[in-house]
Amino acid sequence: QVQLVESGGGSVQAGGSLRLSCAASAVATNNWDMGWFRQAPGKKREGVASIDRDGVTYYAESVKGRFTISKDNAKNTLFLQMNNLIAEDTAMYYCAAAPGKRLYGLVPSEAYTTWGQGTQVTVTS
C-alpha cells in the first residue's frame, strides 16, 4: 500500500510563502490523480488544489493566483507552493491520492482513498 508523507508546514507571517511536499512511497504521481486538502478547526475539509496524471491542474477560488500545485514524477513527490499567505489559510494540510480513479476538477475528499498524516500551516498577522 502506498504511503503519503507531507512536510514543509510551519508558521509564517501574512504575506509570506511556504512550500509543502508530499512524498509517495512508490510510483504514484505519474499514475494517479492527486490533490491537496485543508481542514481548519471546526470546519469541513476542503479541496485546495488537484492535479491529474497528465498534469492538468485545478484550484479552489480562494487560492487561485496564490497557490501552485505541481509534481516531480521522477521523485514521486507532489508539491504545493503557497504565496501571499493570509490568516484564512491557517489549517492542517493533507495530501491525497485516488488510485485507479479518473477525477475531473476539484472533487470532494470522499473521492480520494489514500491520505497523508497532514502538516500544519499557521499564518500570523
Coordinates of all heavy atoms in Angstrom, one line a residue, residues 37-108:
F37 N -5.7 19.0 0.3 CA -6.9 19.4 1.1 C -6.4 20.2 2.3 O -5.3 20.0 2.7 CB -7.8 18.2 1.4 CG -8.5 17.7 0.3 CD1 -7.9 16.9 -0.7 CD2 -9.9 17.9 0.1 CE1 -8.6 16.3 -1.7 CE2 -10.6 17.4 -0.9 CZ -9.9 16.6 -1.9
R38 N -7.3 20.9 2.9 CA -7.0 21.5 4.2 C -8.2 21.5 5.1 O -9.4 21.4 4.6 CB -6.5 22.9 4.0 CG -7.5 23.9 3.5 CD -6.9 25.3 3.2 NE -7.8 26.3 2.7 CZ -7.5 27.5 2.3 NH1 -6.2 27.8 2.3 NH2 -8.4 28.3 1.9
Q39 N -7.9 21.5 6.4 CA -9.0 21.5 7.4 C -8.6 22.4 8.6 O -7.7 22.1 9.2 CB -9.4 20.1 7.8 CG -10.6 20.0 8.7 CD -11.1 18.6 8.9 OE1 -10.3 17.6 8.7 NE2 -12.3 18.4 9.3
A40 N -9.4 23.4 8.8 CA -9.2 24.3 9.9 C -10.1 23.8 11.1 O -11.1 23.1 10.9 CB -9.6 25.7 9.6
P41 N -9.7 24.1 12.3 CA -10.5 23.7 13.5 C -12.0 24.1 13.3 O -12.3 25.2 13.1 CB -9.9 24.4 14.6 CG -8.5 24.6 14.2 CD -8.6 24.9 12.7
G42 N -12.9 23.1 13.5 CA -14.3 23.4 13.5 C -14.9 23.5 12.1 O -16.1 23.8 11.9
K43 N -14.1 23.3 11.1 CA -14.5 23.4 9.7 C -14.4 22.1 8.9 O -13.6 21.2 9.3 CB -13.7 24.5 9.0 CG -14.0 25.9 9.5 CD -13.4 27.0 8.6 CE -13.8 28.4 9.1 NZ -13.2 29.4 8.2
K44 N -15.1 22.0 7.8 CA -15.1 20.9 7.0 C -13.8 20.8 6.2 O -13.3 21.9 5.8 CB -16.3 20.9 6.1 CG -16.5 19.7 5.2 CD -17.8 19.8 4.3 CE -18.0 18.7 3.4 NZ -19.1 18.9 2.5
R45 N -13.3 19.6 5.9 CA -12.2 19.5 5.0 C -12.5 20.0 3.6 O -13.6 19.7 3.1 CB -11.7 18.1 4.9 CG -10.4 17.9 4.2 CD -9.9 16.5 4.4 NE -9.5 16.2 5.8 CZ -8.9 15.1 6.2 NH1 -8.5 14.2 5.3 NH2 -8.6 14.9 7.5
E46 N -11.7 20.9 3.0 CA -11.9 21.4 1.7 C -10.8 21.2 0.8 O -9.6 21.2 1.2 CB -12.2 22.9 1.9 CG -11.0 23.8 2.4 CD -11.3 25.3 2.3 OE1 -12.3 25.7 1.7 OE2 -10.4 26.0 2.8
G47 N -11.1 21.1 -0.5 CA -10.1 20.9 -1.5 C -9.4 22.2 -1.8 O -10.1 23.3 -1.9
V48 N -8.1 22.2 -2.0 CA -7.3 23.3 -2.3 C -6.9 23.3 -3.7 O -7.1 24.3 -4.4 CB -6.1 23.4 -1.3 CG1 -5.2 24.6 -1.7 CG2 -6.6 23.5 0.1
A49 N -6.3 22.2 -4.1 CA -5.8 22.1 -5.5 C -5.7 20.6 -5.8 O -5.5 19.8 -5.0 CB -4.5 22.8 -5.6
S50 N -5.8 20.3 -7.1 CA -5.6 19.0 -7.6 C -4.8 19.0 -8.9 O -4.8 20.0 -9.6 CB -6.9 18.2 -7.7 OG -7.7 18.8 -8.7
I51 N -4.2 17.8 -9.2 CA -3.5 17.6 -10.4 C -3.7 16.2 -10.9 O -3.6 15.3 -10.1 CB -2.0 17.9 -10.2 CG1 -1.2 17.9 -11.5 CG2 -1.4 17.0 -9.2 CD1 0.2 18.5 -11.4
D52 N -4.1 16.1 -12.2 CA -4.3 14.7 -12.7 C -3.0 14.1 -13.2 O -2.0 14.8 -13.3 CB -5.5 14.7 -13.7 CG -5.1 15.3 -15.0 OD1 -3.9 15.5 -15.3 OD2 -6.1 15.6 -15.8
R53 N -3.1 12.9 -13.6 CA -1.9 12.1 -14.1 C -1.3 12.8 -15.3 O -0.1 12.6 -15.5 CB -2.3 10.7 -14.4 CG -3.2 10.5 -15.5 CD -3.9 9.1 -15.5 NE -4.8 9.0 -14.4 CZ -5.5 7.9 -14.1 NH1 -5.3 6.8 -14.8 NH2 -6.3 7.9 -13.0
D54 N -2.0 13.6 -16.0 CA -1.5 14.2 -17.2 C -0.9 15.6 -16.9 O -0.5 16.3 -17.8 CB -2.6 14.4 -18.3 CG -3.1 13.0 -18.7 OD1 -2.2 12.1 -18.9 OD2 -4.3 12.9 -19.0
G55 N -1.1 16.0 -15.6 CA -0.6 17.3 -15.2 C -1.6 18.5 -15.3 O -1.2 19.6 -15.0
V56 N -2.8 18.2 -15.6 CA -3.8 19.2 -15.6 C -4.2 19.6 -14.1 O -4.4 18.8 -13.3 CB -5.1 18.8 -16.3 CG1 -6.2 19.9 -16.3 CG2 -4.8 18.3 -17.7
T57 N -4.2 20.9 -13.9 CA -4.4 21.4 -12.5 C -5.8 22.1 -12.3 O -6.3 22.7 -13.2 CB -3.3 22.4 -12.1 OG1 -3.3 23.5 -13.0 CG2 -1.9 21.7 -12.2
Y58 N -6.2 22.1 -11.1 CA -7.5 22.7 -10.7 C -7.2 23.4 -9.3 O -6.5 22.8 -8.5 CB -8.6 21.7 -10.6 CG -8.8 20.8 -11.8 CD1 -8.1 19.6 -12.0 CD2 -9.7 21.3 -12.8 CE1 -8.3 18.9 -13.1 CE2 -9.9 20.5 -13.9 CZ -9.2 19.3 -14.1 OH -9.4 18.5 -15.2
Y59 N -7.9 24.5 -9.1 CA -7.7 25.2 -7.8 C -9.0 25.7 -7.3 O -10.0 26.1 -8.0 CB -6.8 26.5 -8.1 CG -5.4 26.1 -8.5 CD1 -5.1 26.1 -9.9 CD2 -4.4 25.9 -7.6 CE1 -3.8 25.7 -10.2 CE2 -3.1 25.5 -7.9 CZ -2.8 25.5 -9.3 OH -1.5 25.2 -9.7
A60 N -9.1 25.8 -6.0 CA -10.2 26.5 -5.3 C -10.1 28.0 -5.6 O -9.0 28.5 -5.7 CB -10.2 26.2 -3.8
E61 N -11.3 28.6 -5.7 CA -11.3 30.0 -6.0 C -10.5 30.8 -5.0 O -9.8 31.8 -5.3 CB -12.7 30.6 -6.0 CG -13.5 30.2 -7.3 CD -12.9 30.8 -8.5 OE1 -12.4 31.9 -8.5 OE2 -12.9 30.1 -9.6
S62 N -10.5 30.4 -3.7 CA -9.9 31.1 -2.6 C -8.3 31.2 -2.7 O -7.7 32.0 -2.1 CB -10.3 30.6 -1.3 OG -9.9 29.2 -1.2
V63 N -7.8 30.2 -3.5 CA -6.3 30.2 -3.6 C -5.8 30.5 -5.0 O -4.5 30.5 -5.2 CB -5.8 28.8 -3.1 CG1 -6.3 28.5 -1.7 CG2 -6.1 27.7 -4.1
K64 N -6.6 30.6 -6.0 CA -6.2 30.9 -7.3 C -5.3 32.1 -7.4 O -5.6 33.2 -6.8 CB -7.4 31.1 -8.3 CG -8.0 29.8 -8.8 CD -9.1 30.1 -9.8 CE -9.7 28.8 -10.3 NZ -10.9 29.1 -11.2
G65 N -4.2 32.0 -8.1 CA -3.3 33.1 -8.2 C -2.3 33.2 -7.1 O -1.3 33.9 -7.2
R66 N -2.5 32.4 -6.0 CA -1.6 32.4 -4.9 C -0.9 31.1 -4.7 O 0.3 31.0 -4.3 CB -2.3 32.8 -3.6 CG -3.0 34.2 -3.6 CD -3.5 34.6 -2.3 NE -4.5 33.6 -1.8 CZ -4.4 33.0 -0.7 NH1 -3.4 33.1 0.1 NH2 -5.4 32.2 -0.3
F67 N -1.6 30.0 -5.0 CA -1.1 28.6 -4.8 C -0.8 28.0 -6.1 O -1.5 28.2 -7.1 CB -2.1 27.8 -4.0 CG -2.2 28.1 -2.6 CD1 -1.7 29.3 -2.0 CD2 -2.9 27.3 -1.7 CE1 -1.9 29.6 -0.7 CE2 -3.1 27.6 -0.4 CZ -2.6 28.7 0.1
T68 N 0.2 27.1 -6.1 CA 0.6 26.4 -7.3 C 0.8 24.9 -7.0 O 1.7 24.6 -6.1 CB 1.8 26.9 -8.1 OG1 1.6 28.3 -8.4 CG2 2.1 26.1 -9.3
I69 N 0.1 24.0 -7.6 CA 0.3 22.6 -7.4 C 1.2 22.0 -8.5 O 1.0 22.4 -9.7 CB -1.0 21.8 -7.3 CG1 -0.8 20.3 -6.9 CG2 -1.8 21.9 -8.6 CD1 -2.1 19.6 -6.6
S70 N 2.1 21.2 -8.2 CA 3.0 20.6 -9.2 C 3.5 19.2 -8.7 O 3.2 18.9 -7.5 CB 4.2 21.5 -9.5 OG 5.0 21.7 -8.3
K71 N 4.2 18.5 -9.5 CA 4.7 17.2 -9.1 C 6.0 16.9 -9.9 O 6.2 17.4 -10.9 CB 3.6 16.1 -9.4 CG 3.2 16.0 -10.9 CD 2.2 14.9 -11.1 CE 1.7 14.8 -12.5 NZ 0.9 13.6 -12.8
D72 N 6.8 16.1 -9.2 CA 8.0 15.6 -9.8 C 7.9 14.1 -9.9 O 8.0 13.4 -8.9 CB 9.2 16.0 -8.9 CG 10.5 15.6 -9.5 OD1 10.6 14.6 -10.3 OD2 11.5 16.2 -9.2
N73 N 7.6 13.6 -11.1 CA 7.3 12.2 -11.2 C 8.5 11.3 -11.0 O 8.4 10.2 -10.5 CB 6.8 11.9 -12.6 CG 5.4 12.4 -12.9 OD1 4.6 12.6 -11.9 ND2 5.0 12.7 -14.1
A74 N 9.7 11.9 -11.3 CA 10.9 11.1 -11.1 C 11.2 10.9 -9.6 O 11.8 9.9 -9.2 CB 12.1 11.8 -11.7
K75 N 10.7 11.8 -8.7 CA 10.9 11.7 -7.3 C 9.6 11.3 -6.6 O 9.6 11.2 -5.3 CB 11.4 13.0 -6.7 CG 12.7 13.4 -7.3 CD 13.2 14.7 -6.6 CE 14.6 15.1 -7.1 NZ 15.1 16.4 -6.6
N76 N 8.5 11.0 -7.3 CA 7.3 10.6 -6.7 C 6.8 11.6 -5.6 O 6.4 11.2 -4.5 CB 7.3 9.2 -6.1 CG 7.5 8.1 -7.2 OD1 6.8 8.2 -8.2 ND2 8.5 7.3 -7.1
T77 N 6.9 12.8 -6.0 CA 6.6 13.9 -5.0 C 5.7 14.9 -5.5 O 5.8 15.3 -6.7 CB 7.9 14.6 -4.5 OG1 8.8 13.6 -4.0 CG2 7.6 15.6 -3.4
L78 N 4.7 15.3 -4.7 CA 3.7 16.3 -5.0 C 4.1 17.5 -4.2 O 4.5 17.4 -3.1 CB 2.3 15.8 -4.6 CG 1.1 16.7 -4.9 CD1 0.9 16.7 -6.4 CD2 -0.1 16.2 -4.2
F79 N 3.8 18.7 -4.8 CA 4.2 20.0 -4.1 C 3.0 20.9 -4.1 O 2.1 20.8 -5.0 CB 5.3 20.7 -4.9 CG 6.6 19.9 -5.0 CD1 6.9 19.2 -6.1 CD2 7.4 19.8 -3.9 CE1 8.1 18.5 -6.2 CE2 8.6 19.0 -4.0 CZ 8.9 18.4 -5.1
L80 N 3.0 21.8 -3.2 CA 2.1 22.9 -3.1 C 2.8 24.2 -2.7 O 3.2 24.3 -1.6 CB 0.9 22.7 -2.1 CG -0.2 23.7 -2.2 CD1 -0.9 23.7 -3.5 CD2 -1.2 23.6 -1.0
Q81 N 3.1 25.0 -3.7 CA 3.7 26.3 -3.4 C 2.6 27.3 -3.0 O 1.7 27.6 -3.8 CB 4.5 26.8 -4.7 CG 5.1 28.2 -4.5 CD 6.3 28.1 -3.5 OE1 7.1 27.2 -3.5 NE2 6.3 29.1 -2.6
M82 N 2.8 27.9 -1.8 CA 1.8 28.8 -1.3 C 2.4 30.2 -1.1 O 3.4 30.3 -0.3 CB 1.2 28.3 0.0 CG 0.7 26.9 -0.1 SD -0.1 26.3 1.4 CE 1.3 26.3 2.6
N83 N 2.0 31.2 -1.9 CA 2.5 32.5 -1.8 C 1.4 33.4 -1.3 O 0.2 33.1 -1.3 CB 2.9 33.0 -3.2 CG 4.1 32.1 -3.7 OD1 4.9 31.6 -3.0 ND2 4.1 32.0 -5.0
N84 N 1.9 34.6 -0.8 CA 0.9 35.6 -0.3 C -0.1 35.0 0.7 O -1.3 35.2 0.5 CB 0.2 36.3 -1.5 CG -0.5 37.6 -1.1 OD1 -0.1 38.2 -0.1 ND2 -1.4 38.0 -1.9
L85 N 0.4 34.3 1.6 CA -0.5 33.7 2.6 C -1.2 34.6 3.5 O -0.7 35.7 3.8 CB 0.4 32.7 3.5 CG 0.8 31.4 2.8 CD1 2.0 30.8 3.5 CD2 -0.3 30.4 2.7
I86 N -2.5 34.3 3.8 CA -3.3 35.1 4.6 C -3.8 34.2 5.8 O -3.6 33.0 5.8 CB -4.6 35.6 3.8 CG1 -5.4 34.4 3.3 CG2 -4.1 36.5 2.7 CD1 -6.6 34.9 2.5
A87 N -4.3 34.9 6.8 CA -4.7 34.2 8.1 C -5.7 33.1 7.8 O -5.7 32.0 8.4 CB -5.3 35.2 9.0
E88 N -6.6 33.3 6.8 CA -7.6 32.2 6.4 C -7.0 31.0 5.9 O -7.7 30.0 5.7 CB -8.6 32.8 5.5 CG -9.5 33.9 6.1 CD -8.9 35.2 6.3 OE1 -7.8 35.5 5.7 OE2 -9.4 36.0 7.1
D89 N -5.7 31.0 5.5 CA -5.0 29.8 5.0 C -4.6 28.9 6.2 O -4.1 27.8 5.9 CB -3.8 30.2 4.2 CG -4.2 30.9 2.9 OD1 -5.2 30.6 2.3 OD2 -3.5 31.9 2.5
T90 N -4.7 29.3 7.4 CA -4.3 28.5 8.5 C -5.1 27.3 8.6 O -6.4 27.3 8.7 CB -4.4 29.3 9.8 OG1 -3.5 30.4 9.8 CG2 -4.1 28.5 11.0
A91 N -4.5 26.1 8.6 CA -5.2 24.8 8.6 C -4.2 23.7 8.6 O -3.0 23.9 8.5 CB -6.1 24.7 7.4
M92 N -4.7 22.5 8.8 CA -3.9 21.3 8.6 C -4.0 21.0 7.1 O -5.2 20.9 6.6 CB -4.4 20.1 9.5 CG -3.6 18.9 9.4 SD -2.0 19.1 10.2 CE -2.4 18.8 11.9
Y93 N -2.9 20.7 6.5 CA -3.0 20.5 5.0 C -2.6 19.0 4.8 O -1.7 18.4 5.4 CB -1.9 21.3 4.3 CG -2.4 22.7 4.1 CD1 -2.5 23.6 5.2 CD2 -2.8 23.2 2.8 CE1 -3.0 24.9 5.0 CE2 -3.3 24.5 2.7 CZ -3.4 25.3 3.7 OH -3.8 26.6 3.6
Y94 N -3.5 18.3 4.0 CA -3.3 16.9 3.7 C -3.1 16.7 2.2 O -3.7 17.3 1.3 CB -4.6 16.2 4.1 CG -4.9 16.3 5.5 CD1 -5.7 17.3 6.0 CD2 -4.4 15.3 6.4 CE1 -6.0 17.3 7.4 CE2 -4.7 15.4 7.8 CZ -5.5 16.4 8.3 OH -5.8 16.4 9.6
C95 N -2.3 15.7 1.9 CA -2.1 15.2 0.6 C -2.9 14.0 0.4 O -3.1 13.2 1.3 CB -0.6 14.9 0.4 SG -0.1 14.0 -1.0
A96 N -3.5 13.9 -0.8 CA -4.4 12.7 -1.1 C -4.2 12.2 -2.5 O -3.8 12.9 -3.4 CB -5.9 13.2 -0.9
A97 N -4.5 10.9 -2.6 CA -4.4 10.3 -4.0 C -5.6 9.4 -4.2 O -6.3 9.0 -3.3 CB -3.1 9.4 -4.0
A98 N -5.9 9.2 -5.5 CA -7.0 8.4 -5.9 C -6.6 7.3 -6.9 O -6.8 7.4 -8.1 CB -8.0 9.3 -6.6
P99 N -6.0 6.3 -6.3 CA -5.5 5.2 -7.2 C -6.6 4.6 -8.0 O -7.7 4.3 -7.5 CB -5.0 4.1 -6.2 CG -4.7 4.9 -5.0 CD -5.7 6.0 -4.9
G100 N -6.4 4.4 -9.3 CA -7.3 3.7 -10.2 C -8.5 4.6 -10.6 O -9.4 4.1 -11.3
K101 N -8.6 5.8 -10.2 CA -9.7 6.7 -10.5 C -9.3 7.8 -11.4 O -8.2 8.3 -11.4 CB -10.3 7.3 -9.2 CG -11.0 6.4 -8.3 CD -11.6 7.1 -7.1 CE -12.3 6.2 -6.2 NZ -13.0 7.0 -5.1
R102 N -10.3 8.2 -12.2 CA -10.0 9.4 -13.1 C -10.9 10.5 -12.6 O -12.2 10.4 -12.7 CB -10.4 9.0 -14.5 CG -9.9 10.0 -15.6 CD -8.5 10.2 -15.6 NE -8.0 10.8 -16.8 CZ -6.8 11.3 -17.0 NH1 -5.9 11.3 -16.0 NH2 -6.4 11.8 -18.1
L103 N -10.3 11.5 -12.0 CA -11.1 12.6 -11.4 C -11.0 13.9 -12.3 O -10.0 14.1 -12.9 CB -10.6 13.0 -10.1 CG -10.5 11.8 -9.1 CD1 -9.9 12.3 -7.8 CD2 -11.9 11.2 -8.8
Y104 N -12.1 14.6 -12.4 CA -12.1 15.8 -13.2 C -12.5 17.0 -12.3 O -13.6 17.0 -11.8 CB -13.0 15.7 -14.4 CG -12.6 14.6 -15.3 CD1 -13.2 13.3 -15.2 CD2 -11.7 14.8 -16.3 CE1 -12.8 12.3 -16.1 CE2 -11.3 13.8 -17.2 CZ -11.8 12.6 -17.1 OH -11.4 11.6 -18.0
G105 N -11.6 17.9 -12.2 CA -11.9 19.1 -11.4 C -11.5 18.9 -9.9 O -10.9 17.9 -9.6
L106 N -11.9 19.9 -9.1 CA -11.7 19.8 -7.7 C -12.8 19.1 -7.1 O -13.9 19.6 -6.8 CB -11.5 21.2 -7.2 CG -10.7 21.4 -5.9 CD1 -9.3 21.0 -6.1 CD2 -10.8 22.9 -5.5
V107 N -12.6 17.8 -6.8 CA -13.7 16.9 -6.3 C -13.7 16.8 -4.8 O -12.7 17.1 -4.2 CB -13.6 15.6 -7.0 CG1 -13.8 15.7 -8.5 CG2 -12.3 14.8 -6.6
P108 N -14.8 16.3 -4.2 CA -14.8 16.2 -2.7 C -13.8 15.2 -2.2 O -13.3 14.3 -3.0 CB -16.3 15.7 -2.5 CG -17.0 16.2 -3.6 CD -16.1 16.1 -4.8

